[in-house]
Amino acid sequence: NQWRVVLPGTGRQSKDWKQAPVFYSGNKIRTTKYTWFTFLPQNLFEQFHRLGNLYFFFLVVLDWFPQVEVFHREVTMLPLLVVLLASMTKDAVEEYRKYQYDRTVNSSKTRLYDR
């Protein structure tokens, strides 16, 4: 078993212990930036902040107009979809690893040393 050791800075924490639940929701560690519900919209928002993805999206939009159409619509969408899916898969794997690590740290036993 691995233990986390928490060292309080001053003795004030023990005096204010009864007021702590009022101000703080908990002491769990959370390093992930997405939840299950916010992954898709936030990730797409971040993906389209990249200049290359915006360029390919602009080409897809232009290709929907018959006067400007150079390739078939599906061919123009393919590079954008491949890049988006690859980036989203990479981000999902990283987030899942962060989530697992957070669960491990949050469920570990702690020992509190009080002065």
Side-chain angles (χ1 to χ4, degrees):
N1 289 332
Q2 293 182 352
W3 290 79
R4 275 193 310 169
V5 178
V6 180
L7 298 171
T10 62
R12 182 178 167 194
Q13 285 89 358
S14 61
K15 294 176 187 174
D16 296 335
W17 183 253
K18 292 180 182 177
Q19 295 177 355
V22 175
F23 297 111
Y24 304 107
S25 62
N27 62 352
K28 290 187 178 186
I29 295 172
R30 182 174 176 255
T31 58
T32 58
K33 62 176 149 175
Y34 305 116
T35 63
W36 291 106
F37 301 112
T38 63
F39 177 76
L40 187 64
Q42 280 185 343
N43 193 284
L44 285 175
F45 182 74
E46 288 181 11
Q47 293 297 328
F48 284 113
H49 269 83
R50 297 182 182 148
L51 190 60
N53 292 345
L54 280 176
Y55 172 74
F56 283 111
F57 181 71
F58 179 69
L59 289 178
V60 168
V61 170
L62 274 180
D63 211 31
W64 280 92
F65 296 107
Q67 298 87 0
V68 187
E69 182 178 2
V70 176
F71 300 109
H72 294 290
R73 293 177 184 145
E74 297 82 15
V75 174
T76 310
M77 280 193 268
L78 191 61
L80 180 65
L81 291 177
V82 168
V83 169
L84 288 178
L85 287 176
S87 297
M88 288 177 77
T89 304
K90 178 191 68 81
D91 289 343
V93 168
E94 287 178 2
E95 285 295 309
Y96 184 68
R97 287 182 183 159
K98 287 180 186 179
Y99 171 73
Q100 285 181 328
Y101 178 74
D102 291 346
R103 282 187 51 198
T104 303
V105 169
N106 287 329
S107 64
S108 67
K109 295 180 181 179
T110 60
R111 186 179 294 169
L112 176 64
Y113 290 105
D114 197 7
R115 296 181 187 183

Short mmCIF file of all heavy atoms in Angstrom, two decimals, residues 36-98:
data_model
loop_
_atom_site.label_atom_id
_atom_site.label_comp_id
_atom_site.label_asym_id
_atom_site.label_seq_id
_atom_site.Cartn_x
_atom_site.Cartn_y
_atom_site.Cartn_z
N TRP A 36 -17.69 13.52 -19.37
CA TRP A 36 -18.30 12.72 -20.44
C TRP A 36 -19.22 13.56 -21.31
O TRP A 36 -19.34 13.32 -22.51
CB TRP A 36 -19.10 11.56 -19.85
CG TRP A 36 -18.22 10.53 -19.22
CD1 TRP A 36 -18.04 10.31 -17.88
CD2 TRP A 36 -17.37 9.59 -19.88
NE1 TRP A 36 -17.15 9.31 -17.69
CE2 TRP A 36 -16.72 8.83 -18.89
CE3 TRP A 36 -17.10 9.32 -21.22
CZ2 TRP A 36 -15.82 7.82 -19.21
CZ3 TRP A 36 -16.20 8.31 -21.52
CH2 TRP A 36 -15.58 7.59 -20.52
N PHE A 37 -19.84 14.56 -20.74
CA PHE A 37 -20.81 15.37 -21.49
C PHE A 37 -20.15 16.51 -22.27
O PHE A 37 -20.67 16.95 -23.28
CB PHE A 37 -21.85 15.96 -20.55
CG PHE A 37 -22.61 14.90 -19.80
CD1 PHE A 37 -22.45 14.76 -18.43
CD2 PHE A 37 -23.47 14.03 -20.45
CE1 PHE A 37 -23.14 13.78 -17.74
CE2 PHE A 37 -24.15 13.05 -19.77
CZ PHE A 37 -23.98 12.92 -18.41
N THR A 38 -19.01 16.98 -21.79
CA THR A 38 -18.38 18.14 -22.42
C THR A 38 -17.24 17.78 -23.36
O THR A 38 -16.64 18.68 -23.94
CB THR A 38 -17.84 19.10 -21.36
OG1 THR A 38 -16.82 18.43 -20.61
CG2 THR A 38 -18.95 19.60 -20.45
N PHE A 39 -16.94 16.49 -23.52
CA PHE A 39 -15.78 16.12 -24.34
C PHE A 39 -15.95 16.55 -25.79
O PHE A 39 -15.08 17.22 -26.35
CB PHE A 39 -15.53 14.61 -24.27
CG PHE A 39 -14.39 14.17 -25.15
CD1 PHE A 39 -13.09 14.40 -24.75
CD2 PHE A 39 -14.62 13.56 -26.37
CE1 PHE A 39 -12.04 14.03 -25.56
CE2 PHE A 39 -13.57 13.18 -27.18
CZ PHE A 39 -12.28 13.41 -26.77
N LEU A 40 -17.04 16.18 -26.41
CA LEU A 40 -17.23 16.47 -27.84
C LEU A 40 -17.27 17.97 -28.13
O LEU A 40 -16.51 18.45 -28.98
CB LEU A 40 -18.47 15.76 -28.37
CG LEU A 40 -18.68 15.85 -29.87
CD1 LEU A 40 -17.56 15.13 -30.61
CD2 LEU A 40 -20.02 15.25 -30.24
N PRO A 41 -18.11 18.77 -27.46
CA PRO A 41 -18.14 20.20 -27.82
C PRO A 41 -16.84 20.93 -27.49
O PRO A 41 -16.35 21.72 -28.30
CB PRO A 41 -19.30 20.77 -27.03
CG PRO A 41 -19.74 19.74 -26.09
CD PRO A 41 -19.16 18.45 -26.50
N GLN A 42 -16.25 20.65 -26.32
CA GLN A 42 -15.01 21.35 -25.97
C GLN A 42 -13.86 20.93 -26.86
O GLN A 42 -13.02 21.75 -27.24
CB GLN A 42 -14.65 21.10 -24.51
CG GLN A 42 -15.42 21.94 -23.55
CD GLN A 42 -14.94 21.74 -22.12
OE1 GLN A 42 -14.25 20.78 -21.81
NE2 GLN A 42 -15.33 22.64 -21.25
N ASN A 43 -13.79 19.65 -27.20
CA ASN A 43 -12.71 19.18 -28.04
C ASN A 43 -12.82 19.75 -29.45
O ASN A 43 -11.82 20.17 -30.03
CB ASN A 43 -12.68 17.65 -28.08
CG ASN A 43 -11.41 17.13 -28.67
OD1 ASN A 43 -11.23 17.17 -29.88
ND2 ASN A 43 -10.53 16.65 -27.81
N LEU A 44 -14.03 19.78 -30.00
CA LEU A 44 -14.21 20.39 -31.32
C LEU A 44 -13.87 21.88 -31.29
O LEU A 44 -13.28 22.41 -32.24
CB LEU A 44 -15.63 20.18 -31.81
CG LEU A 44 -15.96 18.77 -32.31
CD1 LEU A 44 -17.44 18.67 -32.65
CD2 LEU A 44 -15.10 18.40 -33.50
N PHE A 45 -14.24 22.54 -30.22
CA PHE A 45 -13.91 23.96 -30.06
C PHE A 45 -12.39 24.16 -30.09
O PHE A 45 -11.88 25.06 -30.75
CB PHE A 45 -14.51 24.49 -28.76
CG PHE A 45 -14.27 25.95 -28.53
CD1 PHE A 45 -14.96 26.90 -29.24
CD2 PHE A 45 -13.35 26.36 -27.57
CE1 PHE A 45 -14.73 28.25 -29.03
CE2 PHE A 45 -13.12 27.69 -27.35
CZ PHE A 45 -13.80 28.65 -28.07
N GLU A 46 -11.67 23.30 -29.36
CA GLU A 46 -10.21 23.41 -29.35
C GLU A 46 -9.60 23.02 -30.70
O GLU A 46 -8.61 23.61 -31.12
CB GLU A 46 -9.62 22.53 -28.26
CG GLU A 46 -9.85 23.06 -26.87
CD GLU A 46 -9.24 22.19 -25.81
OE1 GLU A 46 -8.45 21.28 -26.15
OE2 GLU A 46 -9.53 22.42 -24.62
N GLN A 47 -10.18 22.04 -31.37
CA GLN A 47 -9.64 21.61 -32.66
C GLN A 47 -9.76 22.71 -33.71
O GLN A 47 -8.87 22.89 -34.54
CB GLN A 47 -10.36 20.35 -33.16
CG GLN A 47 -10.12 19.12 -32.34
CD GLN A 47 -8.67 18.68 -32.34
OE1 GLN A 47 -7.96 18.87 -33.31
NE2 GLN A 47 -8.25 18.11 -31.23
N PHE A 48 -10.85 23.44 -33.69
CA PHE A 48 -11.05 24.48 -34.70
C PHE A 48 -10.37 25.80 -34.33
O PHE A 48 -10.52 26.79 -35.04
CB PHE A 48 -12.53 24.68 -34.99
CG PHE A 48 -13.08 23.58 -35.86
CD1 PHE A 48 -14.01 22.68 -35.36
CD2 PHE A 48 -12.64 23.43 -37.16
CE1 PHE A 48 -14.50 21.66 -36.15
CE2 PHE A 48 -13.13 22.41 -37.96
CZ PHE A 48 -14.06 21.53 -37.45
N HIS A 49 -9.63 25.82 -33.23
CA HIS A 49 -8.77 26.96 -32.96
C HIS A 49 -7.42 26.81 -33.65
O HIS A 49 -6.62 27.74 -33.63
CB HIS A 49 -8.57 27.14 -31.45
CG HIS A 49 -9.58 28.03 -30.84
ND1 HIS A 49 -10.82 27.59 -30.45
CD2 HIS A 49 -9.54 29.35 -30.56
CE1 HIS A 49 -11.49 28.61 -29.96
NE2 HIS A 49 -10.74 29.69 -30.01
N ARG A 50 -7.18 25.67 -34.24
CA ARG A 50 -5.93 25.44 -34.98
C ARG A 50 -6.12 25.90 -36.42
O ARG A 50 -7.14 25.63 -37.05
CB ARG A 50 -5.55 23.97 -34.93
CG ARG A 50 -5.27 23.52 -33.51
CD ARG A 50 -4.85 22.09 -33.48
NE ARG A 50 -4.62 21.70 -32.09
CZ ARG A 50 -4.83 20.49 -31.64
NH1 ARG A 50 -5.23 19.53 -32.45
NH2 ARG A 50 -4.59 20.22 -30.38
N LEU A 51 -5.14 26.58 -36.92
CA LEU A 51 -5.23 27.20 -38.24
C LEU A 51 -5.39 26.17 -39.35
O LEU A 51 -6.16 26.38 -40.29
CB LEU A 51 -4.00 28.08 -38.49
CG LEU A 51 -4.04 28.97 -39.72
CD1 LEU A 51 -5.21 29.94 -39.61
CD2 LEU A 51 -2.74 29.72 -39.86
N GLY A 52 -4.70 25.04 -39.24
CA GLY A 52 -4.80 24.02 -40.27
C GLY A 52 -6.20 23.43 -40.37
O GLY A 52 -6.72 23.20 -41.48
N ASN A 53 -6.83 23.18 -39.23
CA ASN A 53 -8.19 22.65 -39.24
C ASN A 53 -9.18 23.66 -39.80
O ASN A 53 -10.13 23.30 -40.50
CB ASN A 53 -8.60 22.22 -37.84
CG ASN A 53 -7.82 21.02 -37.36
OD1 ASN A 53 -7.17 20.33 -38.15
ND2 ASN A 53 -7.87 20.77 -36.07
N LEU A 54 -8.98 24.93 -39.49
CA LEU A 54 -9.85 25.97 -40.05
C LEU A 54 -9.70 26.05 -41.58
O LEU A 54 -10.68 26.26 -42.29
CB LEU A 54 -9.55 27.32 -39.43
CG LEU A 54 -10.16 27.57 -38.07
CD1 LEU A 54 -9.69 28.91 -37.51
CD2 LEU A 54 -11.66 27.52 -38.13
N TYR A 55 -8.47 25.87 -42.06
CA TYR A 55 -8.23 25.90 -43.50
C TYR A 55 -8.99 24.77 -44.19
O TYR A 55 -9.68 25.00 -45.19
CB TYR A 55 -6.73 25.80 -43.78
CG TYR A 55 -6.41 25.63 -45.23
CD1 TYR A 55 -6.53 26.69 -46.12
CD2 TYR A 55 -6.01 24.39 -45.73
CE1 TYR A 55 -6.23 26.54 -47.46
CE2 TYR A 55 -5.71 24.23 -47.07
CZ TYR A 55 -5.82 25.29 -47.93
OH TYR A 55 -5.54 25.13 -49.25
N PHE A 56 -8.88 23.57 -43.66
CA PHE A 56 -9.59 22.44 -44.28
C PHE A 56 -11.10 22.60 -44.15
O PHE A 56 -11.85 22.22 -45.05
CB PHE A 56 -9.13 21.11 -43.67
CG PHE A 56 -7.81 20.66 -44.20
CD1 PHE A 56 -6.70 20.65 -43.39
CD2 PHE A 56 -7.68 20.26 -45.52
CE1 PHE A 56 -5.47 20.23 -43.88
CE2 PHE A 56 -6.45 19.84 -46.02
CZ PHE A 56 -5.34 19.83 -45.19
N PHE A 57 -11.57 23.17 -43.04
CA PHE A 57 -13.00 23.42 -42.89
C PHE A 57 -13.47 24.45 -43.92
O PHE A 57 -14.55 24.31 -44.50
CB PHE A 57 -13.31 23.90 -41.47
CG PHE A 57 -14.77 24.16 -41.23
CD1 PHE A 57 -15.66 23.10 -41.14
CD2 PHE A 57 -15.25 25.44 -41.11
CE1 PHE A 57 -17.01 23.34 -40.93
CE2 PHE A 57 -16.60 25.69 -40.90
CZ PHE A 57 -17.47 24.63 -40.81
N PHE A 58 -12.67 25.47 -44.16
CA PHE A 58 -12.99 26.47 -45.17
C PHE A 58 -13.08 25.83 -46.56
O PHE A 58 -13.98 26.16 -47.34
CB PHE A 58 -11.94 27.58 -45.15
CG PHE A 58 -12.17 28.66 -46.15
CD1 PHE A 58 -13.23 29.54 -46.03
CD2 PHE A 58 -11.31 28.80 -47.23
CE1 PHE A 58 -13.44 30.53 -46.96
CE2 PHE A 58 -11.52 29.80 -48.17
CZ PHE A 58 -12.58 30.67 -48.03
N LEU A 59 -12.18 24.89 -46.86
CA LEU A 59 -12.25 24.19 -48.14
C LEU A 59 -13.52 23.35 -48.26
O LEU A 59 -14.14 23.28 -49.33
CB LEU A 59 -11.03 23.30 -48.34
CG LEU A 59 -9.71 24.01 -48.61
CD1 LEU A 59 -8.59 23.00 -48.73
CD2 LEU A 59 -9.81 24.87 -49.85
N VAL A 60 -13.91 22.72 -47.17
CA VAL A 60 -15.14 21.92 -47.18
C VAL A 60 -16.35 22.81 -47.43
O VAL A 60 -17.23 22.47 -48.23
CB VAL A 60 -15.29 21.13 -45.85
CG1 VAL A 60 -16.68 20.53 -45.72
CG2 VAL A 60 -14.24 20.05 -45.76
N VAL A 61 -16.39 23.97 -46.77
CA VAL A 61 -17.52 24.89 -46.96
C VAL A 61 -17.54 25.42 -48.40
O VAL A 61 -18.61 25.50 -49.02
CB VAL A 61 -17.45 26.05 -45.94
CG1 VAL A 61 -18.45 27.14 -46.27
CG2 VAL A 61 -17.68 25.52 -44.54
N LEU A 62 -16.39 25.76 -48.93
CA LEU A 62 -16.34 26.25 -50.31
C LEU A 62 -16.78 25.19 -51.31
O LEU A 62 -17.39 25.50 -52.33
CB LEU A 62 -14.92 26.69 -50.66
CG LEU A 62 -14.53 28.11 -50.30
CD1 LEU A 62 -13.09 28.37 -50.72
CD2 LEU A 62 -15.45 29.11 -50.97
N ASP A 63 -16.47 23.94 -51.01
CA ASP A 63 -16.80 22.87 -51.94
C ASP A 63 -18.29 22.58 -52.00
O ASP A 63 -18.76 21.89 -52.89
CB ASP A 63 -16.02 21.61 -51.56
CG ASP A 63 -15.70 20.79 -52.79
OD1 ASP A 63 -15.52 21.38 -53.86
OD2 ASP A 63 -15.63 19.56 -52.66
N TRP A 64 -19.07 23.12 -51.07
CA TRP A 64 -20.52 22.92 -51.10
C TRP A 64 -21.20 23.83 -52.11
O TRP A 64 -22.37 23.63 -52.45
CB TRP A 64 -21.12 23.14 -49.71
CG TRP A 64 -20.93 21.92 -48.85
CD1 TRP A 64 -19.90 21.68 -48.02
CD2 TRP A 64 -21.77 20.77 -48.79
NE1 TRP A 64 -20.05 20.47 -47.44
CE2 TRP A 64 -21.19 19.88 -47.88
CE3 TRP A 64 -22.96 20.41 -49.42
CZ2 TRP A 64 -21.75 18.65 -47.58
CZ3 TRP A 64 -23.53 19.19 -49.11
CH2 TRP A 64 -22.93 18.32 -48.21
N PHE A 65 -20.48 24.84 -52.61
CA PHE A 65 -21.03 25.72 -53.64
C PHE A 65 -20.68 25.16 -55.01
O PHE A 65 -19.51 24.94 -55.31
CB PHE A 65 -20.48 27.14 -53.49
CG PHE A 65 -20.88 27.80 -52.20
CD1 PHE A 65 -19.96 27.98 -51.18
CD2 PHE A 65 -22.18 28.22 -52.00
CE1 PHE A 65 -20.32 28.58 -49.99
CE2 PHE A 65 -22.56 28.82 -50.83
CZ PHE A 65 -21.63 28.99 -49.81
N PRO A 66 -21.65 24.93 -55.87
CA PRO A 66 -21.37 24.32 -57.17
C PRO A 66 -20.45 25.15 -58.07
O PRO A 66 -19.72 24.60 -58.89
CB PRO A 66 -22.75 24.19 -57.82
CG PRO A 66 -23.74 24.34 -56.73
CD PRO A 66 -23.08 25.12 -55.65
N GLN A 67 -20.46 26.46 -57.92
CA GLN A 67 -19.62 27.30 -58.76
C GLN A 67 -18.13 27.15 -58.43
O GLN A 67 -17.27 27.35 -59.29
CB GLN A 67 -19.98 28.79 -58.59
CG GLN A 67 -21.38 29.15 -58.99
CD GLN A 67 -22.38 28.96 -57.85
OE1 GLN A 67 -22.01 28.55 -56.75
NE2 GLN A 67 -23.64 29.22 -58.12
N VAL A 68 -17.81 26.78 -57.20
CA VAL A 68 -16.43 26.70 -56.75
C VAL A 68 -15.96 25.26 -56.63
O VAL A 68 -14.77 25.01 -56.46
CB VAL A 68 -16.28 27.42 -55.38
CG1 VAL A 68 -14.84 27.51 -54.94
CG2 VAL A 68 -16.91 28.79 -55.43
N GLU A 69 -16.86 24.31 -56.75
CA GLU A 69 -16.54 22.90 -56.49
C GLU A 69 -15.42 22.41 -57.40
O GLU A 69 -15.48 22.51 -58.62
CB GLU A 69 -17.80 22.05 -56.71
CG GLU A 69 -17.59 20.60 -56.43
CD GLU A 69 -18.86 19.81 -56.62
OE1 GLU A 69 -19.89 20.40 -57.02
OE2 GLU A 69 -18.83 18.61 -56.39
N VAL A 70 -14.37 21.88 -56.78
CA VAL A 70 -13.23 21.34 -57.53
C VAL A 70 -13.25 19.82 -57.45
O VAL A 70 -13.13 19.14 -58.45
CB VAL A 70 -11.90 21.89 -56.97
CG1 VAL A 70 -10.72 21.26 -57.68
CG2 VAL A 70 -11.86 23.40 -57.07
N PHE A 71 -13.37 19.29 -56.23
CA PHE A 71 -13.44 17.85 -56.00
C PHE A 71 -14.84 17.48 -55.55
O PHE A 71 -15.68 18.34 -55.32
CB PHE A 71 -12.43 17.43 -54.93
CG PHE A 71 -11.01 17.76 -55.27
CD1 PHE A 71 -10.35 18.76 -54.60
CD2 PHE A 71 -10.35 17.06 -56.26
CE1 PHE A 71 -9.03 19.06 -54.90
CE2 PHE A 71 -9.04 17.35 -56.57
CZ PHE A 71 -8.38 18.36 -55.89
N HIS A 72 -15.07 16.21 -55.39
CA HIS A 72 -16.33 15.78 -54.79
C HIS A 72 -16.33 16.18 -53.31
O HIS A 72 -15.29 16.28 -52.68
CB HIS A 72 -16.50 14.26 -54.92
CG HIS A 72 -16.64 13.82 -56.34
ND1 HIS A 72 -17.77 14.09 -57.08
CD2 HIS A 72 -15.80 13.13 -57.15
CE1 HIS A 72 -17.62 13.58 -58.30
NE2 HIS A 72 -16.43 12.99 -58.36
N ARG A 73 -17.50 16.40 -52.78
CA ARG A 73 -17.61 16.86 -51.39
C ARG A 73 -16.98 15.87 -50.41
O ARG A 73 -16.35 16.27 -49.44
CB ARG A 73 -19.08 17.07 -51.04
CG ARG A 73 -19.69 18.20 -51.79
CD ARG A 73 -21.16 18.35 -51.48
NE ARG A 73 -21.71 19.40 -52.33
CZ ARG A 73 -22.93 19.38 -52.81
NH1 ARG A 73 -23.74 18.40 -52.52
NH2 ARG A 73 -23.35 20.35 -53.57
N GLU A 74 -17.17 14.58 -50.66
CA GLU A 74 -16.64 13.57 -49.75
C GLU A 74 -15.12 13.58 -49.73
O GLU A 74 -14.49 13.38 -48.70
CB GLU A 74 -17.14 12.18 -50.14
CG GLU A 74 -18.65 12.01 -50.05
CD GLU A 74 -19.38 12.54 -51.29
OE1 GLU A 74 -18.73 12.77 -52.32
OE2 GLU A 74 -20.61 12.73 -51.20
N VAL A 75 -14.50 13.80 -50.88
CA VAL A 75 -13.04 13.82 -50.97
C VAL A 75 -12.47 15.02 -50.21
O VAL A 75 -11.43 14.92 -49.57
CB VAL A 75 -12.59 13.85 -52.45
CG1 VAL A 75 -11.09 14.00 -52.57
CG2 VAL A 75 -13.05 12.59 -53.15
N THR A 76 -13.16 16.13 -50.25
CA THR A 76 -12.69 17.31 -49.55
C THR A 76 -12.85 17.16 -48.03
O THR A 76 -12.02 17.66 -47.27
CB THR A 76 -13.47 18.55 -50.02
OG1 THR A 76 -13.45 18.60 -51.43
CG2 THR A 76 -12.87 19.82 -49.47
N MET A 77 -13.88 16.46 -47.59
CA MET A 77 -14.11 16.27 -46.16
C MET A 77 -13.18 15.24 -45.54
O MET A 77 -12.93 15.28 -44.34
CB MET A 77 -15.56 15.83 -45.91
CG MET A 77 -16.55 16.94 -45.92
SD MET A 77 -18.12 16.43 -45.26
CE MET A 77 -18.94 15.90 -46.73
N LEU A 78 -12.67 14.34 -46.33
CA LEU A 78 -11.87 13.22 -45.81
C LEU A 78 -10.64 13.66 -45.00
O LEU A 78 -10.45 13.18 -43.89
CB LEU A 78 -11.48 12.29 -46.96
CG LEU A 78 -10.87 10.96 -46.55
CD1 LEU A 78 -11.86 10.17 -45.72
CD2 LEU A 78 -10.47 10.19 -47.79
N PRO A 79 -9.79 14.57 -45.48
CA PRO A 79 -8.63 14.96 -44.65
C PRO A 79 -9.03 15.59 -43.32
O PRO A 79 -8.41 15.30 -42.29
CB PRO A 79 -7.89 15.98 -45.52
CG PRO A 79 -8.38 15.77 -46.89
CD PRO A 79 -9.75 15.22 -46.78
N LEU A 80 -10.05 16.42 -43.34
CA LEU A 80 -10.49 17.06 -42.10
C LEU A 80 -11.01 16.03 -41.11
O LEU A 80 -10.68 16.06 -39.93
CB LEU A 80 -11.57 18.11 -42.39
CG LEU A 80 -12.13 18.85 -41.18
CD1 LEU A 80 -11.05 19.68 -40.52
CD2 LEU A 80 -13.30 19.72 -41.60
N LEU A 81 -11.83 15.09 -41.59
CA LEU A 81 -12.37 14.07 -40.70
C LEU A 81 -11.28 13.17 -40.13
O LEU A 81 -11.32 12.81 -38.95
CB LEU A 81 -13.42 13.23 -41.44
CG LEU A 81 -14.72 13.95 -41.78
CD1 LEU A 81 -15.64 13.03 -42.57
CD2 LEU A 81 -15.40 14.44 -40.51
N VAL A 82 -10.30 12.81 -40.94
CA VAL A 82 -9.21 11.96 -40.46
C VAL A 82 -8.41 12.67 -39.37
O VAL A 82 -8.12 12.09 -38.32
CB VAL A 82 -8.31 11.53 -41.64
CG1 VAL A 82 -7.03 10.91 -41.14
CG2 VAL A 82 -9.04 10.57 -42.55
N VAL A 83 -8.09 13.92 -39.60
CA VAL A 83 -7.31 14.68 -38.61
C VAL A 83 -8.12 14.87 -37.34
O VAL A 83 -7.60 14.71 -36.22
CB VAL A 83 -6.86 16.03 -39.20
CG1 VAL A 83 -6.30 16.94 -38.13
CG2 VAL A 83 -5.84 15.81 -40.29
N LEU A 84 -9.39 15.22 -37.45
CA LEU A 84 -10.23 15.41 -36.27
C LEU A 84 -10.39 14.12 -35.48
O LEU A 84 -10.29 14.12 -34.25
CB LEU A 84 -11.59 15.98 -36.66
CG LEU A 84 -11.63 17.43 -37.12
CD1 LEU A 84 -13.05 17.82 -37.50
CD2 LEU A 84 -11.10 18.35 -36.04
N LEU A 85 -10.66 13.02 -36.15
CA LEU A 85 -10.83 11.74 -35.45
C LEU A 85 -9.55 11.29 -34.78
O LEU A 85 -9.57 10.78 -33.65
CB LEU A 85 -11.35 10.67 -36.40
CG LEU A 85 -12.82 10.80 -36.81
CD1 LEU A 85 -13.18 9.74 -37.84
CD2 LEU A 85 -13.70 10.67 -35.58
N ALA A 86 -8.42 11.48 -35.44
CA ALA A 86 -7.14 11.09 -34.83
C ALA A 86 -6.85 11.94 -33.59
O ALA A 86 -6.44 11.41 -32.55
CB ALA A 86 -6.02 11.23 -35.84
N SER A 87 -7.07 13.23 -33.68
CA SER A 87 -6.83 14.11 -32.54
C SER A 87 -7.79 13.82 -31.39
O SER A 87 -7.39 13.82 -30.22
CB SER A 87 -6.96 15.57 -32.96
OG SER A 87 -6.01 15.89 -33.91
N MET A 88 -9.05 13.57 -31.73
CA MET A 88 -10.03 13.27 -30.68
C MET A 88 -9.73 11.94 -30.00
O MET A 88 -9.89 11.81 -28.79
CB MET A 88 -11.45 13.28 -31.26
CG MET A 88 -11.94 14.66 -31.60
SD MET A 88 -13.54 14.65 -32.37
CE MET A 88 -14.56 14.37 -30.95
N THR A 89 -9.28 10.97 -30.76
CA THR A 89 -8.92 9.68 -30.17
C THR A 89 -7.74 9.83 -29.23
O THR A 89 -7.73 9.29 -28.12
CB THR A 89 -8.60 8.66 -31.28
OG1 THR A 89 -9.72 8.56 -32.16
CG2 THR A 89 -8.29 7.30 -30.71
N LYS A 90 -6.73 10.57 -29.66
CA LYS A 90 -5.56 10.82 -28.81
C LYS A 90 -5.96 11.54 -27.53
O LYS A 90 -5.54 11.16 -26.44
CB LYS A 90 -4.53 11.64 -29.58
CG LYS A 90 -3.30 12.00 -28.77
CD LYS A 90 -2.44 13.02 -29.46
CE LYS A 90 -3.05 14.36 -29.55
NZ LYS A 90 -2.98 15.21 -28.39
N ASP A 91 -6.79 12.57 -27.64
CA ASP A 91 -7.24 13.31 -26.46
C ASP A 91 -8.08 12.44 -25.54
O ASP A 91 -7.97 12.54 -24.31
CB ASP A 91 -8.04 14.54 -26.87
CG ASP A 91 -7.17 15.62 -27.49
OD1 ASP A 91 -5.94 15.56 -27.32
OD2 ASP A 91 -7.74 16.52 -28.16
N ALA A 92 -8.91 11.58 -26.11
CA ALA A 92 -9.75 10.70 -25.28
C ALA A 92 -8.89 9.71 -24.50
O ALA A 92 -9.15 9.46 -23.32
CB ALA A 92 -10.76 9.96 -26.16
N VAL A 93 -7.87 9.17 -25.13
CA VAL A 93 -6.98 8.21 -24.43
C VAL A 93 -6.23 8.93 -23.32
O VAL A 93 -6.11 8.40 -22.20
CB VAL A 93 -6.02 7.55 -25.44
CG1 VAL A 93 -4.92 6.79 -24.73
CG2 VAL A 93 -6.78 6.63 -26.37
N GLU A 94 -5.72 10.13 -23.59
CA GLU A 94 -5.02 10.89 -22.56
C GLU A 94 -5.94 11.23 -21.39
O GLU A 94 -5.54 11.13 -20.22
CB GLU A 94 -4.45 12.18 -23.15
CG GLU A 94 -3.26 11.97 -24.03
CD GLU A 94 -2.76 13.28 -24.63
OE1 GLU A 94 -3.33 14.35 -24.33
OE2 GLU A 94 -1.80 13.22 -25.42
N GLU A 95 -7.16 11.64 -21.69
CA GLU A 95 -8.10 11.98 -20.62
C GLU A 95 -8.45 10.75 -19.78
O GLU A 95 -8.60 10.86 -18.56
CB GLU A 95 -9.37 12.59 -21.21
CG GLU A 95 -9.21 14.00 -21.68
CD GLU A 95 -8.91 14.97 -20.55
OE1 GLU A 95 -9.64 14.98 -19.55
OE2 GLU A 95 -7.93 15.71 -20.68
N TYR A 96 -8.60 9.61 -20.43
CA TYR A 96 -8.92 8.40 -19.67
C TYR A 96 -7.76 8.02 -18.76
O TYR A 96 -7.99 7.61 -17.62
CB TYR A 96 -9.25 7.25 -20.63
CG TYR A 96 -9.69 6.01 -19.91
CD1 TYR A 96 -10.89 5.97 -19.23
CD2 TYR A 96 -8.88 4.87 -19.89
CE1 TYR A 96 -11.29 4.84 -18.55
CE2 TYR A 96 -9.26 3.74 -19.21
CZ TYR A 96 -10.47 3.72 -18.54
OH TYR A 96 -10.85 2.60 -17.86
N ARG A 97 -6.54 8.18 -19.21
CA ARG A 97 -5.38 7.89 -18.36
C ARG A 97 -5.31 8.85 -17.18
O ARG A 97 -5.00 8.46 -16.07
CB ARG A 97 -4.10 7.95 -19.17
CG ARG A 97 -3.93 6.78 -20.10
CD ARG A 97 -2.63 6.84 -20.85
NE ARG A 97 -2.55 5.72 -21.78
CZ ARG A 97 -1.77 5.69 -22.83
NH1 ARG A 97 -1.00 6.73 -23.11
NH2 ARG A 97 -1.75 4.64 -23.62
N LYS A 98 -5.60 10.12 -17.43
CA LYS A 98 -5.64 11.09 -16.33
C LYS A 98 -6.73 10.72 -15.33
O LYS A 98 -6.54 10.83 -14.12
CB LYS A 98 -5.90 12.50 -16.87
CG LYS A 98 -4.74 13.12 -17.57
CD LYS A 98 -5.14 14.51 -18.05
CE LYS A 98 -4.10 15.16 -18.89
NZ LYS A 98 -4.53 16.49 -19.36
#
